[in-house]
Amino acid sequence: MSLETLTAAIRDIPDFPKPGIMFKDISPILQDGALFAEVIDIIGARYENQQIDSIVVIDARGFIFGSALAYKLGCGISLVRKQGKLPWKTYSVSYELEYGSAAVEIHIDAVSAGDRVLIVDDLLATGGTARAGADLIEKIGARIIALEFVIELSFLNGRDKLDGYTVNSLIEVSD
Ligand code: AMP
């Protein structure tokens, strides 16, 4: 797969979900079985010879890529969900949005202290969501081996919020 092919499969939707946002729709990648598989194979190849205990998947599109990656790596997934969705005891972390704040949660037993985990989402924008996910994992005491994204909006400098972690993305959008 060339990065051009992957980039061409991302559909830009202007002014969604609100004016001024260019939404990166990954649906066309998911609809193309070969392309979807290649994305997972490329990310998975980085961890072929490493022990990964769990993929921490971010609500909601992170669930899709993270689940496929977990199947490839032979591990389970742990859900980071928006507030109020998880039924069992949770840890919660709040973070700032452009307007107001939000919170994400994880079951207290989703991963164990010392586990080697990857955090997966479809897209890194300001980094607030991923940082909150990382903070949840740090609360539990698991080890974040890397954060993996398909797309990175690098002009939003999300990496700055993830300083000290290994951050990988397949496609960088720089403006
Ligand atoms: P952020 O917390 O700003 O890094 O935002 C990342 C989260 O919001 C991810 O879960 C993305 O799925 C979603 N997101 C943010 N901006 C966009 C965008 N322009 N296109 C698609 N998804 C986005």
Side-chain angles (χ1 to χ4, degrees):
M1 174 191 67
S2 70
L3 285 183
E4 287 74 27
T5 310
L6 186 59
T7 304
I10 296 164
R11 183 162 51 194
D12 284 352
I13 316 281
D15 300 319
F16 183 88
K18 52 186 180 187
I21 303 289
M22 180 65 80
F23 191 85
K24 300 287 176 181
D25 179 18
I26 45 95
S27 306
I29 299 174
L30 305 178
Q31 288 163 214
D32 182 332
L35 198 53
F36 185 19
E38 277 197 79
V39 167
I40 299 304
D41 286 345
I42 290 170
I43 300 173
R46 297 191 181 119
Y47 303 100
E48 247 164 23
N49 301 313
Q50 292 193 48
Q51 174 68 32
I52 299 295
D53 298 306
S54 185
I55 313 277
V56 174
V57 295
I58 309 279
D59 200 345
R61 286 176 294 276
F63 294 176
I64 302 166
F65 292 102
S67 297
L69 185 62
Y71 181 77
K72 183 169 178 70
L73 297 181
C75 64
I77 61 168
S78 309
L79 308 185
V80 168
R81 298 215 63 186
K82 288 163 189 151
Q83 193 167 37
K85 298 285 185 186
L86 288 171
W88 177 237
K89 295 174 191 168
T90 58
Y91 292 122
S92 184
V93 166
S94 298
Y95 61 102
E96 297 307 311
L97 296 174
E98 201 177 346
Y99 304 112
S101 67
V104 286
E105 298 179 335
I106 193 167
H107 278 156
I108 57 168
D109 57 357
V111 293
S112 303
D115 278 355
R116 292 167 53 86
V117 309
L118 300 176
I119 297 179
V120 172
D121 203 356
D122 65 327
L123 182 142
L124 175 63
T126 66
T129 312
R131 176 73 230 189
D135 288 346
L136 287 173
I137 299 307
E138 298 288 358
K139 271 194 187 198
I140 296 176
R143 188 164 158 214
I144 300 165
I145 302 304
L147 296 100
E148 293 284 343
F149 302 92
V150 179
I151 305 163
E152 175 178 0
L153 305 184
S154 55
F155 59 92
L156 294 175
N157 302 314
R159 272 174 194 264
D160 293 352
K161 284 209 183 73
L162 302 170
D163 198 28
Y165 295 114
T166 299
V167 178
N168 296 316
S169 61
L170 292 183
I171 291 176
E172 184 185 331
V173 178
S174 54
D175 55 13

